[in-house]
Amino acid sequence: MRLEDEMKQLTIRRPDDWHVHLRDGAVLKAVTPDTSAHFSRAIVMPNLVPPVVTTRDAAAYRDRILAAIPSGHDFTPLMTLYLTEGTSAEDVEVGFRSGLVTAVKLYPAGATTNSQSGVRDLSKVMPVLERMASIGMTLCVHGEVTDPSTDIFDREAVFIERVLAPLRERLPELRIVMEHVTTKDGVDFVSSQSENMGATITTHHLIINRNAILAGGIRPHYYCLPVAKREEHRLVLRRAATSGDARFFLGTDSAPHVDPLKECACGCAGIYSSLNTMSCLAHVFEEDGALDRLEAFASLNGPAFYRLPPNEATITLERRETAWDYPRKRNTGEDDITVFDPMFPLHWVAT
Ligand code: NCD
Ligand code: ZN
């Protein structure tokens, strides 16, 4: 009998979420407790409207996040700056050295939700990237081209070829995380690089392929960016996540949008999974006979990449006979946010 068949409880170091959207205002208040309940730290994405561009913006946003954490939750938001063609290298360095800012996020202009102020011409931000390389600061990359002539399912692969590989050659010392990798091409590329390149993998991309969005009806709550790909890609992501390979770590990309903005003729991209991510992951890792590697993926590889200590506190996941009847919605006071439905019962519960 395999170890995990007997295991009814799994205790691991507390996980961190290396890519999350907490938003602002009423949504921030509604969703932050779901992250802080299970995660000790999270890399918080800066794509607000207007975006978090300067260290000063990040300090103000951090205060709003701290105010949304329930008492009794021990949670540290790790702030990111939204890279624009006007970003000052000096400001980035000041933010990093002060400990307030952990990383800078590169959105190719137009790639995803609220990315209009992103980068059009990479050469314009090279001075910032060079400064980051020299101080050991991480660049988080949304790895999709936005060129409308590129098929949406190919945007990640084309980005690697046109943007990421040349950037790696030009500035090999820059620490880069390819965010929410969704393809075999992405996994292969990251695996071929040196230790200063990593990738986050979301919970949902380990569970759904593109059929979830499109087969038998259009399901907006499975629509996110990068869009889920074919089954063969999902299987490669599963292997990367469950392998224990230190380059791959959890970034849920939990991206809440209220239901009216998802369930309409032009719905927003984003899946809200903070609430049940750890249960979903325990299911996935158990299914792949890799429960003993869940801690590496969720709690060890990320801090190692970001050169931070792993959390001392622990979390216990328990496998229950009766499936967890998790809340299907979170309410902002005005609207609902639909929680990710993995389409299997959740027997693992974080206690
Ligand atoms: C994110 C969002 O809504 O902010 N959406 C998503 O589908 N993941 C943006 C992003 O991370 O691309
Ligand atoms: Zn995201």
Side-chain angles (χ1 to χ4, degrees), residues 37-348:
H38 297 154
F39 297 93
S40 286
R41 295 169 291 201
I43 285 266
V44 183
M45 287 296 132
N47 63 331
L48 306 180
V49 188
V52 178
V53 173
T54 63
T55 293
R56 201 165 154 212
D57 297 338
Y61 186 32
R62 185 172 188 276
D63 286 344
R64 300 199 295 282
I65 296 168
L66 292 176
I69 302 169
S71 59
H73 285 192
D74 185 6
F75 175 71
T76 306
L78 304 175
M79 307 310 293
T80 58
L81 299 182
Y82 185 116
L83 184 61
T84 70
E85 291 179 7
T87 294
S88 135
E90 201 52 41
D91 181 61
V92 166
E93 178 165 0
V94 167
F96 182 64
R97 293 214 187 273
S98 74
L100 181 87
V101 178
T102 301
V104 169
K105 176 73 187 269
L106 166 66
Y107 288 102
T112 187
T113 315
N114 305 332
S115 63
Q116 307 84 311
S117 342
V119 175
R120 285 184 170 75
D121 177 359
L122 205 61
S123 66
K124 298 233 171 75
V125 297
M126 281 315 288
V128 178
L129 302 186
E130 281 158 9
R131 182 77 68 98
M132 290 170 62
S134 75
I135 61 178
M137 188 178 190
T138 296
L139 180 72
C140 299
V141 173
H142 183 109
E144 290 190 290
V145 292
T146 55
D147 161 17
S149 70
T150 304
D151 188 276
I152 190 157
F153 292 100
D154 298 333
R155 288 182 178 187
E156 186 169 292
V158 174
F159 181 87
I160 293 168
E161 186 189 310
R162 284 198 203 150
V163 184
L164 196 52
L167 176 60
R168 290 292 291 165
E169 282 191 14
R170 188 160 167 192
L171 202 51
E173 318 82 62
L174 181 63
R175 306 181 66 73
I176 299 183
V177 177
M178 189 171 175
E179 298 295 326
H180 40 50
V181 67
T182 59
T183 57
K184 177 179 187 305
D185 314 65
V187 169
D188 287 349
F189 182 76
V190 171
S191 304
S192 75
Q193 298 294 299
S194 59
E195 298 297 297
N196 69 351
M197 166 132 212
T200 53
I201 302 181
T202 77
T203 307
H204 50 273
H205 287 111
L206 295 174
I207 294 172
I208 61 164
N209 62 32
R210 62 194 199 175
N211 283 358
I213 317 164
L214 296 169
I218 187 153
R219 294 191 187 76
H221 295 294
Y222 293 117
Y223 173 59
C224 66
L225 287 171
V227 70
K229 308 295 192 298
R230 285 176 179 277
E231 178 66 358
E232 65 200 64
H233 294 288
R234 185 185 73 95
L235 295 175
V236 170
L237 297 175
R238 289 274 282 235
R239 277 200 292 281
T242 58
S243 66
D245 185 328
R247 288 166 223 265
F248 298 100
F249 41 92
L250 174 63
T252 64
D253 195 17
S254 182
H257 293 279
V258 293
D259 285 352
L261 295 178
K262 293 283 295 173
E263 299 167 1
C264 57
C266 183
C268 294
I271 293 178
Y272 182 59
S273 65
S274 295
L275 185 144
N276 56 8
T277 272
M278 291 312 297
S279 300
C280 292
L281 287 175
H283 176 104
V284 163
F285 277 67
E286 180 181 45
E287 204 167 72
D288 287 4
L291 269 179
D292 57 335
R293 270 163 272 167
L294 177 58
E295 185 177 45
F297 180 66
S299 315
L300 300 176
N301 297 348
F305 185 89
Y306 278 93
R307 297 168 164 158
L308 293 167
N311 298 310
E312 286 300 330
T314 59
I315 186 173
T316 297
L317 295 152
E318 201 172 271
R319 196 182 198 296
R320 302 211 173 128
E321 275 309 308
T322 313
W324 176 31
D325 187 17
Y326 63 90
R328 270 29 181 198
K329 307 273 183 189
R330 275 290 180 240
N331 191 272
T332 65
E334 215 167 296
D335 289 302
D336 279 337
I337 295 165
T338 295
V339 175
F340 175 58
D341 173 3
M343 297 180 279
F344 48 70
L346 291 177
H347 288 277
W348 287 93

